[in-house]
Amino acid sequence: MARAHKLDCESAAADCRFVVQSEDEAEAIELAKNHMREIHGKEYTDDELRTEHLQVV
């Protein structure tokens, strides 16, 4: 069974229901970085997202 990489924005930014989920970790991180920059005006590194917010489901 394939694993997916998931980032639930609510865990990073309160009151946001945005969820990124992809089988490709790099794609999930890139989508999450773009969302955080464009919607929340916050910059996160790949490592910050990977270690603090990304889940493997």
Side-chain angles (χ1 to χ4, degrees), residues 4-7 18-37 42-56:
H5 302 276
K6 177 182 173 186
L7 183 134
F18 184 78
V19 175
V20 170
Q21 185 167 319
S22 175
E23 290 181 7
D24 182 338
E25 182 183 87
E27 179 183 46
I29 289 173
E30 188 63 29
L31 291 169
K33 279 175 62 173
N34 290 340
H35 170 79
M36 295 305 285
R37 183 181 330 103
K42 296 181 181 178
E43 293 289 334
Y44 283 89
T45 66
D46 291 2
D47 286 336
E48 286 175 318
L49 290 172
R50 185 177 294 113
T51 59
E52 296 175 23
H53 304 293
L54 199 67
Q55 304 169 352
V56 178

